[in-house]
Amino acid sequence: MIRKEPIDKAKARRPFPLQLATKFLSLPLLLASVVVAAGEAPLTTIAIGSCADQEDEQPIWKAINKDEPDLFIFLGDNIYGDTEDMDVMRAKYEQLGSNPGFIELQQHAQVIATWDDHDFGINDGGVEYSMKQASKDIFLDFWKEPADSPRRSQSTGIYTAYTYGPPGKRVQVILLDLRWNRTPLATVPTQEAYDERVAQLMGPYIPVSDPNAVFLGEAQWQWLEQQLQVPAQLRFIGSSQQVLPEFTGWEAWANFPRERERLFALIGKANGGQTFLLSGDTHWSEFSRVDDAVDYPLWEMTASGLTEEWKDVSPNRHRVGDFYNLANYGLIEIDWDAPAPVLTFRIKDVVGNTVLQQQLSLQP
């Protein structure tokens, strides 16, 4: 396989304007964002992926379709839009939509999605992106969001949640929006510091110190707190950026440490069910684990990318096992019939071979 050159994430950036206010949603609207899937059959196979360049042929769909997932979760950078021209954005979605492998996937699996920076419309961007409302409309149209969906009417992002399966085997999938409200990132202050980061295979970002910095936005936080009270035996939080790793220097929850701690606190107060984190963005895949965030080991599966690859993988002290940095996707298999349900998490390569794996039992 030909290795692609990595995108230059470290190019100079202008300061972003701070978000001045956040609108609060009412409790009924918060709860209305839950989408209950039709049917009572439990989920047994979930595929996930991110970072798919629409210009590529995307041969990986052949392996994904062979796995016959019940559900496929796009975790962001589902296209590389990077534009303020919405005709260009639509055309790039049309390229994905016309891919035969993607068309086949939609015929046998439910497909859900959140976005990251490139399908949001601006590299590493956030609240300052002037075309975010138009980009949101195109995103929701492409992913066939119903006209009456709360996701269309809420004014604070594209976050949403789904529940699947009967009582006792219920799975909740929460998809966050890390772009709509996010205020400026902080970068290393000097060229010397930047050069040192490069030598350590790290990016230019550091944790923000501004007490007014915003990542999710208060409306989304209030909504998320309500979602975590929805009864479920198993929860997946889909985040377009990594949650557990702390030292990459790229975009990640680690850049907003107060919000990262707030997320852990909410997970710890969830209404039953064990939570697992799913993420993309990095152009490499790995498993991460933190033992002191909640009252059970908190695991994260990063699956990236469907087409995109990265040469110099950044450090992660929470990594369990190795990483994989060629084209890949994630597969989650749930055995509900075991005495304690067993989840098998796999990272699979472009032809469907398992290259990384973790097998975990749900906590009693």
Side-chain angles (χ1 to χ4, degrees):
M1 180 179 294
I2 299 174
R3 185 187 300 277
K4 294 189 172 186
E5 291 298 319
I7 296 170
D8 182 9
K9 291 190 176 182
K11 61 187 179 183
R13 292 168 177 81
R14 299 177 181 174
F16 299 160
L18 287 178
Q19 186 180 32
L20 300 178
T22 304
K23 294 182 180 179
F24 285 79
L25 298 176
S26 65
L27 178 59
L29 183 53
L30 290 169
L31 294 179
S33 294
V34 179
V35 179
V36 180
E40 286 293 299
L43 280 181
T44 59
T45 308
I46 304 169
I48 68 173
S50 64
C51 306
D53 190 334
Q54 70 284 344
E55 300 289 342
D56 289 353
E57 293 183 2
Q58 301 185 0
I60 201 165
W61 293 121
K62 182 176 181 180
I64 293 171
N65 287 321
K66 187 176 180 180
D67 282 328
E68 297 184 340
D70 304 317
L71 175 69
F72 187 94
I73 306 172
F74 277 91
L75 291 167
D77 293 342
N78 311 313
I79 62 165
Y80 281 73
D82 300 294
T83 183
E84 293 187 353
D85 185 333
M86 294 299 100
D87 289 335
V88 171
M89 186 74 81
R90 288 187 189 90
K92 291 183 175 184
Y93 273 112
E94 288 171 3
Q95 283 183 272
L96 172 61
S98 64
N99 184 289
F102 175 71
I103 292 171
E104 182 180 346
L105 175 71
Q106 292 180 304
Q107 292 172 348
H108 63 71
Q110 180 168 350
V111 179
I112 60 176
T114 189
W115 60 15
D116 200 35
D117 54 340
H118 296 295
D119 41 352
F120 179 62
I122 180 173
N123 183 52
D124 289 3
V127 67
E128 82 290 353
Y129 178 53
S130 63
M131 299 301 294
K132 64 181 185 178
Q133 181 59 54
S135 179
K136 173 187 172 182
D137 292 341
I138 293 170
F139 174 97
L140 296 177
D141 287 346
F142 180 80
W143 297 109
K144 298 180 175 60
E145 197 72 22
D148 61 350
S149 167
R151 208 177 189 192
R152 289 189 181 273
S153 58
Q154 66 195 19
S155 61
T156 50
I158 62 163
Y159 49 87
T160 192
Y162 306 81
T163 59
Y164 303 90
K169 297 181 180 180
R170 184 150 292 159
V171 176
Q172 183 187 38
V173 179
I174 297 171
L175 299 182
L176 301 178
D177 183 339
L178 307 189
R179 293 295 166 186
W180 190 270
N181 297 298
R182 200 219 66 204
T183 51
L185 298 168
T187 58
V188 292
T190 66
Q191 183 64 43
E192 181 181 3
Y194 173 72
D195 292 342
E196 183 179 342
R197 283 296 192 87
V198 171
Q200 298 177 60
L201 307 182
M202 294 169 64
Y205 298 127
I206 58 177
V208 297
S209 58
D210 183 349
N212 297 312
V214 173
F215 196 27
L216 296 191
E218 192 59 33
Q220 187 171 183
W221 277 116
Q222 297 293 327
W223 169 88
L224 177 58
E225 184 172 7
Q226 294 297 327
Q227 295 310 313
L228 289 170
Q229 296 308 306
V230 173
Q233 282 65 54
L234 173 60
R235 302 179 200 275
F236 296 104
I237 296 180
S239 167
S240 63
Q241 297 167 33
Q242 288 188 304
V243 181
L244 299 183
E246 300 170 27
F247 306 105
T248 70
W250 303 115
E251 289 195 289
W253 280 77
N255 296 325
F256 295 84
R258 286 187 295 272
E259 300 214 31
R260 184 172 178 266
E261 290 302 316
R262 185 174 180 177
L263 177 65
F264 295 157
L266 288 185
I267 291 173
K269 295 189 296 184
N271 180 18
Q274 188 170 346
T275 298
F276 294 87
L277 304 169
L278 308 175
S279 60
D281 178 56
T282 53
H283 300 185
W284 70 80
S285 290
E286 62 188 353
F287 294 100
S288 303
R289 188 182 77 184
V290 168
D291 292 334
D292 57 359
V294 296
D295 60 2
Y296 54 84
L298 186 59
W299 283 83
E300 178 174 352
M301 180 191 206
T302 301
S304 177
L306 292 165
T307 65
E308 303 307 283
E309 302 170 350
W310 196 259
K311 180 180 179 182
D312 298 318
V313 175
S314 297
N316 171 14
R317 72 182 178 96
H318 300 304
R319 182 182 295 135
V320 179
D322 206 349
F323 59 79
Y324 186 74
N325 59 342
L326 300 178
N328 67 85
Y329 64 101
L331 193 73
I332 306 165
E333 297 161 305
I334 308 170
D335 180 2
W336 291 105
D337 295 327
V342 174
L343 284 76
T344 303
F345 295 82
R346 306 177 192 272
I347 296 296
K348 306 187 81 172
D349 67 13
V350 71
V351 296
N353 295 320
T354 298
V355 293
L356 302 174
Q357 179 175 320
Q358 294 291 331
Q359 190 169 80
L360 306 169
S361 296
L362 286 185
Q363 299 293 313

